[in-house]
Amino acid sequence: MLENLGSTIWVMRLALLSVLLAVGCRHTQAQVLGDVFIYTNNYTFDPFPDLPADFGPEVPDEGIDGLLRVADPEDACSPFTFSDAEQTWVALISRSQQLHPTNCTFDVKVRHAEAAGAAAAIVYDDVYEALIIMSKPRDHPEPGIPAVFVSEKAGIIMRKLITPG
């Protein structure tokens, strides 16, 4: 059974399959290590490596647990076409490096996710390269939600999990 709720697509089966996300960090001496965990009611994927943003709050030690939702627009360079403050959810955002008039900085993407009600944001790369630390211009305000950066592969896998077909 497939149910389309506005611009968010939820894949549901008889066992009420929902894609959940936990962003967790483990603190070591001078370094922060983080992983993105994806799990459903019957399967847990190996964690995806990530790097936390150089802005906004840190991911809490206990992580953030919520539904994973694709940003709309996907690059989050303009306000989301939906908002949801009733449940905990995490925005999945495309980096979108192509030269385009609507390109924006990482902090703008995360602030748009925050304005739509997201508890955290995951920005995935749109090309195959090493992970980077997301930063923001000095004069931009700090987002109020944590954000992490993951690889193109991780982003593709997460998108496939929440896209029907």
Side-chain angles (χ1 to χ4, degrees):
M1 173 171 73
L2 177 66
E3 184 178 345
N4 187 345
L5 301 175
S7 62
T8 301
I9 297 178
W10 300 43
V11 177
M12 296 185 163
R13 298 201 175 109
L14 294 178
L16 185 62
L17 171 68
S18 60
V19 179
L20 297 175
L21 169 82
V23 178
C25 281
R26 298 182 304 275
H27 296 278
T28 59
Q29 291 176 355
Q31 177 179 9
V32 176
L33 301 173
D35 290 306
V36 174
F37 296 87
I38 301 290
Y39 56 92
T40 67
N41 62 342
N42 59 0
Y43 188 79
T44 301
F45 290 82
D46 289 335
F48 298 116
D50 72 85
L51 286 176
D54 194 25
F55 54 76
E58 291 183 10
V59 176
D61 289 338
E62 66 277 5
I64 296 171
D65 192 2
L67 290 170
L68 182 63
R69 298 175 75 173
V70 176
D72 187 11
E74 288 185 48
D75 67 1
C77 285
S78 57
F80 283 29
T81 60
F82 65 89
S83 65
D84 186 355
E86 295 188 22
Q87 62 184 351
T88 304
W89 61 280
V90 177
L92 181 62
I93 301 169
S94 173
R95 179 179 182 188
S96 298
Q97 295 184 66
Q98 299 85 354
L99 292 176
H100 192 271
T102 63
N103 276 0
C104 62
T105 56
F106 291 118
D107 60 303
V108 170
K109 296 172 183 289
V110 174
R111 285 198 324 270
H112 284 145
E114 178 184 16
I122 298 174
V123 179
Y124 67 92
D125 211 337
D126 58 345
V127 295
Y128 181 76
E129 63 184 357
L131 295 179
I132 63 165
I133 297 174
M134 297 184 292
S135 61
K136 69 173 193 66
R138 290 183 192 190
D139 60 338
H140 284 203
E142 290 283 328
I145 61 172
V148 297
F149 188 79
V150 299
S151 69
E152 178 185 40
K153 178 181 175 182
I156 290 169
I157 291 170
M158 286 187 262
R159 287 223 23 138
K160 290 286 185 190
L161 287 172
I162 56 178
T163 302

